[in-house]
Amino acid sequence: MAITSVGIVGAGQMGNGIAHVFALAGFDVLMTDISQDALAKTVRLVDQNLDRQVSRGKITDEDRKAALGRIRTTPKLTDLGRCDLIIEAATERESVKQAIFDELLPHLRPETILTSNTSSISITRLASRTDRPEKFMGFHFMNPVPVMQLVELIRGIATDDATYQTLLKVVDKLGKTAASAEDFPAFIVNRILMPMINEAVYTLYEGVGNVTSIDESLKLGANHPMGPLELADFIGLDTCLAIMNVLHEGLADTKYRPCPLLTKYVEAGWLGRKTRRGFYDYRGAKPVPTR
Ligand SMILES: CC(=O)CC(=O)SCCNC(=O)CCNC(=O)[C@H](O)C(C)(C)COP(=O)(O)OP(=O)(O)OC[C@H]1O[C@@H](n2cnc3c(N)ncnc32)[C@H](O)[C@@H]1OP(=O)(O)O
Ligand SMILES: NC(=O)C1=CN([C@@H]2O[C@H](COP(=O)(O)OP(=O)(O)OC[C@H]3O[C@@H](n4cnc5c(N)ncnc54)[C@H](OP(=O)(O)O)[C@@H]3O)[C@@H](O)[C@H]2O)C=CC1
């Protein structure tokens, strides 16, 4: 099946980046979000990021204008029913994703492919509660989407080969690289990355280092582009905690227990960059470590 139109549910940082790369690659994009505020901001943010690519000579101003012209928004989830491909990129909570699929399913055409950008949740379980487990897949983009080359493709137990092949072609059209992961908690990237971030929070919790020394150590000592705490703030501490909980519950191994300090930051509503406070405080001119 040829995909020309894409419906994106969730206009947060991931939905925004996904809309950006699909529109630039020539797909028609329709976005929705329960937050009208997020929806209102999203096209402006895509424009800013496209503009950044124009100023760095990556794309032309014509490309920017054409991409923007392909993005539309709607407050009504059910309007996405006419799209060829759905990418759910709402908050990392199974009940949220479930409710979205329940509402959307009666409005989809039978051939529509349904995907989730989930970072960790079982694709087989999400798929099993839909009317099309064979046309359901994990479609996991990395943040920031316009920059990161990888897309993880996760087949549930029932996903058919035609769906997988269609998504491989879509990834190719986006100019990105696909990696296939089996459907186990947090797949490949987050199975490895998130325990490292959680360990960095334990290192902070136990006083082995402070925010600055931990981040500097990994940046200068292991050549990571961002320190683990800076990266956690970038991803969102709520998302990091949700992924650790899926690993902990799904693999039933205490080595994945989320650090109590990570839980405390999330309970405080200090979710990182998106709330302007996390391991760093972003409310001033420069980020200031909170510990
Ligand atoms: C949680 C999950 O489920 C999975 C995940 O996503 S895990 C998170 C994965 N992501 C990472 O690990 C990111 C780690 N960090 C990095 O790679 C880098 O710090 C970074 C690319 C984010 C920024 O790099 P930087 O050198 O500090 O910043 P900056 O110079 O501003 O940007 C680098 C390039 O990215 C571009 N860029 C950054 N953000 C962008 C955006 N949102 N849109 C478009 N372009 C962007 C810049 O234009 C710049 O392009 P050029 O190289 O062509 O000049
Ligand atoms: N952050 C990251 O680095 C990565 C995240 N992901 C995954 O992508 C998904 C989105 O993450 P991210 O963009 O960071 O999260 P954000 O918190 O930035 O955005 C999520 C958006 O979804 C909205 N939302 C919540 N419930 C609904 C709903 N029922 N219908 C429509 N929209 C809804 C939220 O609105 P409101 O704020 O009002 O609740 C918010 O605008 C998650 O599954 C996450 O695990 C995947 C790769 C990387």
Side-chain angles (χ1 to χ4, degrees):
M1 169 189 178
I3 305 288
T4 60
S5 58
V6 180
I8 300 173
V9 188
Q13 51 183 339
M14 292 308 291
N16 188 273
I18 294 168
H20 176 136
V21 298
F22 271 87
L24 206 50
F27 295 89
D28 291 322
V29 175
L30 183 58
M31 298 184 79
T32 191
D33 196 293
I34 39 161
S35 159
Q36 291 317 298
D37 191 37
L39 211 49
K41 281 188 197 143
T42 199
V43 179
R44 214 176 331 128
L45 208 56
V46 172
D47 192 11
Q48 277 171 21
N49 285 326
L50 286 167
D51 210 35
R52 184 189 339 209
Q53 290 177 302
V54 173
S55 62
R56 306 220 185 192
K58 300 261 166 191
I59 61 170
T60 65
D61 201 47
E62 283 66 44
D63 297 332
R64 179 186 72 84
K65 284 190 195 129
L68 279 176
R70 291 187 197 105
I71 303 177
R72 285 174 305 120
T73 63
T74 173
K76 269 178 72 188
L77 173 65
T78 52
D79 285 348
L80 272 58
R82 56 181 182 271
C83 298
D84 302 326
L85 167 69
I86 302 291
I87 305 173
E88 173 279 313
T91 309
E92 185 73 346
R93 203 173 313 128
E94 195 162 337
S95 58
V96 168
K97 296 182 185 301
Q98 192 58 58
I100 289 168
F101 295 139
D102 287 350
E103 189 182 338
L104 189 57
L105 280 169
H107 303 271
L108 296 182
R109 287 180 282 128
E111 64 274 21
T112 298
I113 293 178
L114 194 52
T115 69
S116 174
N117 185 51
T118 178
S119 297
S120 59
I121 299 168
S122 165
I123 298 304
T124 299
R125 196 165 61 236
L126 287 173
S128 72
R129 299 183 193 132
T130 73
D131 61 355
R132 60 194 70 207
E134 69 292 343
K135 289 192 164 46
F136 192 104
M137 272 191 64
F139 200 12
H140 185 212
F141 289 82
M142 307 294 140
N143 188 12
V145 183
V147 180
M148 306 302 279
Q149 188 59 32
L150 186 82
V151 185
E152 270 186 304
L153 292 182
I154 306 108
R155 277 170 281 191
I157 200 166
T159 308
D160 65 22
D161 197 50
T163 301
Y164 175 63
Q165 295 300 334
T166 302
L167 286 199
L168 274 182
K169 284 196 199 113
V170 171
V171 173
D172 197 47
K173 195 169 168 196
L174 296 175
K176 296 202 180 282
T177 304
S180 288
E182 288 297 319
D183 184 24
F184 290 102
F187 323 123
I188 296 175
V189 172
N190 286 323
R191 172 78 177 260
I192 299 167
L193 182 69
M194 217 37 80
M196 183 200 72
I197 286 178
N198 193 47
E199 200 59 32
V201 186
Y202 268 111
T203 309
L204 179 66
Y205 177 63
E206 291 170 9
V208 182
N210 60 26
V211 169
T212 305
S213 61
I214 292 168
D215 275 351
E216 289 287 290
S217 296
L218 270 291
K219 278 199 286 191
L220 303 181
N223 263 3
H224 289 199
M226 285 177 168
L229 301 172
E230 186 188 356
L231 180 58
D233 275 358
F234 182 64
I235 291 167
L237 303 190
D238 53 340
T239 303
C240 293
L241 180 60
I243 297 168
M244 285 313 298
N245 279 326
V246 168
L247 280 167
H248 193 209
E249 285 158 23
L251 298 169
D253 188 329
T254 54
K255 77 177 176 182
Y256 297 112
R257 67 200 184 285
C259 179
L261 187 61
L262 178 61
T263 306
K264 195 199 286 271
Y265 271 72
V266 173
E267 284 171 351
W270 294 13
L271 307 183
R273 279 186 177 272
K274 63 183 164 188
T275 57
R276 304 185 70 207
R277 202 156 23 162
F279 292 113
Y280 294 84
D281 187 334
Y282 301 92
R283 291 171 302 167
K286 272 173 63 181
V288 178
T290 54
R291 274 170 189 258

